[in-house]
């Protein structure tokens, strides 16, 4: 599940090393390991639900059924910097029942796309919606070919907001791998710099709507309608420094099962899909915390059998939420504190490369701006 390798390829790999291990045997092992890891999975789920903000998205996966395949879903739920885990839920369809069951008692911020299925967990006394500016930007970007003037105005406002976030990332960088920053200072700067732009952008949208110069079924009306319908949720990110103006973290999380499905194509049953969700949770949470997955999982699976009589295992079987902290020493971030030599070094190198590319891009843009001013 970390390397997106179907079982028949593992069968070939073992065969090349002189060991004939059939895929049916490997499948049985995976099923047993998923049952063993369920309490740790449910502990991560409980902790993610304590987050101040949760990012989520969904991606499809085919599930084998008689006569034809059903289109099932994986839903990643990402916790905040204090609960840095990504929990993958599996459902047999994209109905609201999935988010409603997972987020039934959640009352923090929920950052997601504009899918109507989330409406059942949003509102007074429930979660507060935070929309994604990247989704909004796509509508106006698609409009450029048909209504360049209006599209460029909207994209200009969004670019100014994005530039503010870029400057804040430089001024207030991450303090640790889990994403802690100076959130108070970030909220103050957003209120000072971003709020006037949002007010100006909102007035422009309202004037465009009231002008009645937009054809009802045009792409302009589509972009305008989406933005205005999501406006309150789009502006909500300025309320807290730990909120984001985009949902990119969840978008990245859905890539893992999306890449996997290109290799193994489908899951064999609902149980297999739920088991896959457990493994994606383990591997995804390890990578998110910079933990080398193999070293961590090896110790996890060696240690969990001795805890079968613990309260954590009992709670996992009863209602699916593990309140007990007996398994916390095996959470990836806690485990890494006790085993720092197993930090995932390749991920550190990739992070440095991304930072270098971002700095080079900023320097290039600054050079172009200076050249324009000089010529002007």
């Amino acid at each position: 599940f970390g390397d997106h390798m179907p079982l028949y390829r593992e069968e070939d790999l073992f065969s090349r090393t002189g060991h004939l291990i059939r895929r049916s045997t490997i499948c049985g092992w995976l099923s047993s390991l998923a049952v063993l890891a369920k309490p740790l999975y449910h502990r991560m789920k409980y902790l993610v639900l304590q987050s101040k903000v949760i990012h989520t998205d969904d991606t499809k996966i085919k599930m084998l059924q008689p006569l034809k395949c059903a289109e099932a879903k994986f839903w990643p739920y990402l916790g905040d910097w204090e609960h840095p885990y990504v929990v993958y839920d599996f459902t047999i369809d994209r109905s609201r029942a999935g988010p409603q069951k997972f987020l039934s008692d959640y009352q923090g911020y929920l950052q997601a796309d504009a899918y109507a299925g989330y409406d059942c967990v949003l509102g007074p006394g429930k979660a507060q919606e935070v929309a994604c500016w990247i989704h909004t930007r796509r509508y106006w970007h698609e409009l450029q070919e048909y209504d360049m003037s209006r599209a460029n105005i909207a994209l200009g406002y969004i670019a100014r907001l994005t530039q503010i976030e870029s400057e804040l990332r430089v001024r207030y960088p991450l303090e640790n791998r889990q994403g802690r920053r100076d959130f108070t200072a970030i909220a103050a700067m957003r209120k000072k710099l971003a709020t006037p732009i949002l007010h100006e952008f909102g007035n422009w949208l309202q004037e465009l709507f009231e002008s009645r110069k937009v054809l009802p079924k045009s792409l302009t009306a589509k972009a305008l309608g989406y933005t205005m319908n999501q406006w309150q949720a789009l502006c909500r990110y300025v309320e807290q420094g730990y909120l984001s103006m985009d949902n990119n973290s969840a978008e990245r999380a859905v890539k893992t099962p999306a890449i996997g499905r290109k290799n193994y194509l489908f899951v064999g049953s609902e149980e297999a899909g739920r088991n896959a969700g457990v493994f994606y949770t383990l591997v995804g949470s390890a990578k998110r915390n910079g933990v080398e997955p193999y070293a961590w999982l090896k110790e996890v699976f060696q240690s969990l059998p001795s805890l079968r009589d613990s309260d954590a295992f009992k709670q996992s079987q009863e209602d699916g939420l593990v309140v007990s902290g007996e398994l916390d020493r095996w959470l990836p971030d806690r485990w890494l504190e006790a085993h720092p030599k197993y930090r995932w070094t390749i991920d550190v190198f990739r992070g440095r490369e991304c930072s270098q590319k971002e700095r080079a891009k900023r320097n290039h843009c600054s050079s172009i701006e200076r050249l324009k001013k000089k010529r002007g």
Side-chain angles (χ1 to χ4, degrees):
F1 289 91
D3 296 333
H4 319 290
M5 188 178 294
L7 299 188
Y8 78 89
R9 293 186 191 172
E10 292 193 26
E11 190 178 51
D12 294 344
L13 187 151
F14 289 131
S15 178
R16 289 196 298 272
T17 63
H19 302 281
L20 181 59
I21 305 178
R22 300 309 306 271
R23 74 186 75 174
S24 58
T25 302
I26 302 173
C27 187
W29 289 348
L30 285 174
S31 179
S32 298
L33 287 174
V35 173
L36 182 63
K38 279 287 178 66
L40 187 59
Y41 169 87
H42 287 141
R43 178 59 178 167
M44 290 186 190
K45 176 181 177 180
Y46 172 79
L47 293 173
V48 165
L49 290 173
Q50 311 309 308
S51 300
K52 294 181 179 179
V53 55
I54 293 177
H55 289 250
T56 187
D57 202 352
D58 66 271
T59 188
K60 62 184 179 182
I61 180 68
K62 291 181 180 179
M63 183 181 71
L64 288 185
Q65 281 189 334
L67 301 180
K68 69 175 183 177
C69 289
E71 188 172 282
K73 294 288 181 179
F74 283 116
W75 308 72
Y77 294 91
L78 286 77
D80 60 16
W81 70 98
E82 293 180 339
H83 311 90
Y85 317 110
V86 49
V87 176
Y88 287 83
D89 189 29
F90 175 82
T91 61
I92 59 174
D93 54 35
R94 205 196 181 205
S95 69
R96 66 171 56 191
Q100 187 173 31
K101 182 178 179 181
F102 195 98
L103 300 166
S104 58
D105 298 321
Y106 182 66
Q107 296 183 4
Y109 290 97
L110 181 67
Q111 185 133 23
D113 57 26
Y115 170 50
Y118 295 120
D119 292 347
C120 60
V121 297
L122 300 173
K126 300 180 181 180
Q128 297 185 66
E129 182 183 11
V130 185
C132 176
W133 276 100
I134 299 302
H135 282 80
T136 305
R137 185 184 182 279
R138 290 172 189 165
Y139 285 90
W140 295 100
H141 187 269
E142 294 172 358
L143 182 61
Q144 281 185 302
E145 185 177 348
Y146 306 95
D147 193 348
M148 182 178 293
S149 177
R150 290 165 174 165
N152 285 342
I153 291 174
L155 291 173
Y157 283 118
I158 298 173
R160 290 164 64 187
L161 295 171
T162 304
Q163 181 61 34
I164 292 172
E165 294 303 304
S166 298
E167 294 173 358
L168 291 178
R169 282 195 295 272
V170 176
R171 184 177 298 187
Y172 306 105
L174 297 178
E175 297 175 5
N176 56 26
R177 174 72 191 217
Q178 284 68 38
R180 182 182 295 277
R181 300 169 69 190
D182 188 347
F183 297 126
T184 302
I186 292 172
M189 292 300 293
R190 283 176 175 169
K191 185 176 181 180
K192 177 182 177 181
L193 301 176
T195 300
I197 298 174
L198 289 168
H199 183 70
E200 185 179 339
F201 190 11
N203 288 340
W204 178 79
L205 291 170
Q206 189 64 34
E207 290 175 3
L208 180 60
F209 175 75
E210 293 175 353
S211 69
R212 300 186 180 276
K213 295 181 179 180
V214 177
L215 295 177
K217 295 185 179 181
S218 65
L219 288 178
T220 305
K222 186 177 180 181
L224 178 63
Y226 180 91
T227 308
M228 294 191 69
N229 289 338
Q230 293 291 304
W231 188 249
Q232 185 176 2
L234 285 169
C235 296
R236 188 162 282 136
Y237 82 97
V238 302
E239 293 180 4
Q240 304 289 346
Y242 53 78
L243 299 178
S244 174
M245 72 174 295
D246 59 60
N247 197 32
N248 287 348
S249 57
E251 296 277 351
R252 289 190 293 269
V254 298
K255 285 184 178 180
T256 303
I259 295 172
R261 69 169 178 249
K262 291 183 178 180
N263 291 278
Y264 56 73
L265 302 181
F266 52 80
V267 294
S269 64
E270 184 175 353
E271 181 184 1
R274 296 191 185 282
N275 290 345
V278 171
F279 293 123
Y280 279 133
T281 296
L282 296 175
V283 175
S285 296
K287 291 182 177 180
R288 188 180 177 193
N289 287 279
V291 179
E292 196 285 296
Y294 177 77
W296 172 60
L297 288 173
K298 182 179 179 181
E299 182 165 325
V300 165
F301 287 126
Q302 287 175 339
S303 303
L304 287 181
S306 64
L307 298 169
R308 291 184 185 274
D309 295 327
S310 66
D311 290 338
F313 271 73
K314 293 176 183 177
Q315 292 170 6
S316 177
Q317 294 173 356
E318 290 172 0
D319 60 8
L321 285 179
V322 176
V323 180
S324 171
E326 293 170 295
L327 303 180
D328 286 3
R329 59 180 293 193
W330 285 282
L331 293 171
D333 55 327
R334 311 278 182 89
W335 184 85
L336 185 60
E337 292 177 0
H339 304 81
K341 66 178 181 179
Y342 291 115
R343 186 171 299 279
W344 203 28
T345 54
I346 186 64
D347 199 38
V348 175
F349 295 144
R350 289 171 181 163
R352 290 174 182 171
E353 288 178 351
C354 290
S355 297
Q356 291 172 357
K357 290 179 180 179
E358 188 171 349
R359 284 196 298 270
K361 183 178 179 180
R362 286 198 301 267
N363 293 336
H364 178 67
C365 292
S366 298
S367 299
I368 293 176
E369 289 297 324
R370 287 195 296 269
L371 183 61
K372 286 181 178 179
K373 290 180 180 180
K374 185 176 180 181
R375 290 179 176 177

